[in-house]
Amino acid sequence: MNALQFLKKWLCGACVWFTAVSLTMLLIGIIFLPGMDYIASLSYLLFFPFALCMSAAGMLTEAQKLAKGLRSLLHYLITLVSFVLFLYLPSGVTATLPFLLFFFLLLSMIYWIVFGVLHMLRIRRGSTKHS
């Protein structure tokens, strides 16, 4: 893959992520915060760097040069760090250490459940292709 194809794939993936995150946050705002501004402008602008990170993390899982376990670990770390940097910290929520620990464990649990389900679906799809 040349640099232009890589850039196109990365930016297209980021646009998909940006749209998904924007719509999700707007829906959460409409449901839980009726009559208020749903997303502050700075927070909204930070959705795109988050989307770029998520797109890069997704592309990283396809990098055959890296071991599968390393790809999974790097994807997890990029996902968690980008969520904290671009979505959680700018929200201005102050929390105690026990809450932050609970939040980290909850995010990790959600990540690994979703990752596990997607992995199982890929295995099942792959096994049915060759039958």
Side-chain angles (χ1 to χ4, degrees):
M1 174 182 317
N2 66 29
L4 188 59
Q5 290 172 325
F6 175 83
L7 186 62
K8 182 179 175 183
K9 185 174 182 178
W10 183 39
L11 290 175
C12 285
C15 289
V16 170
W17 272 103
F18 180 77
T19 302
V21 171
S22 298
L23 290 175
T24 301
M25 296 304 280
L26 284 170
L27 287 174
I28 288 171
I30 289 169
I31 293 169
F32 295 108
L33 303 169
M36 294 181 67
D37 284 336
Y38 303 124
I39 302 172
S41 58
L42 178 61
S43 296
Y44 190 72
L45 290 175
L46 289 175
F47 290 173
F48 197 67
F50 174 75
L52 287 170
C53 290
M54 293 304 294
S55 180
M59 290 174 64
L60 184 67
T61 61
E62 299 168 3
Q64 299 298 322
K65 292 181 181 180
L66 297 174
K68 194 175 221 175
L70 181 60
R71 286 183 286 180
S72 299
L73 181 62
L74 287 173
H75 187 275
Y76 166 72
L77 291 173
I78 291 169
T79 301
L80 193 65
V81 168
S82 63
F83 181 84
V84 170
L85 285 178
F86 299 118
L87 299 181
Y88 176 73
L89 289 178
S91 71
V93 174
T94 56
T96 62
L97 185 60
F99 176 79
L100 290 176
L101 181 60
F102 171 76
F103 184 69
F104 170 77
L105 292 174
L106 180 66
L107 283 177
S108 296
M109 185 176 69
I110 290 169
Y111 174 87
W112 288 111
I113 288 171
V114 170
F115 187 83
V117 168
L118 291 175
H119 183 68
M120 298 290 271
L121 290 173
R122 282 189 197 121
I123 289 173
R124 183 175 170 96
R125 186 183 66 203
S127 64
T128 58
K129 273 186 182 178
H130 301 294
S131 306

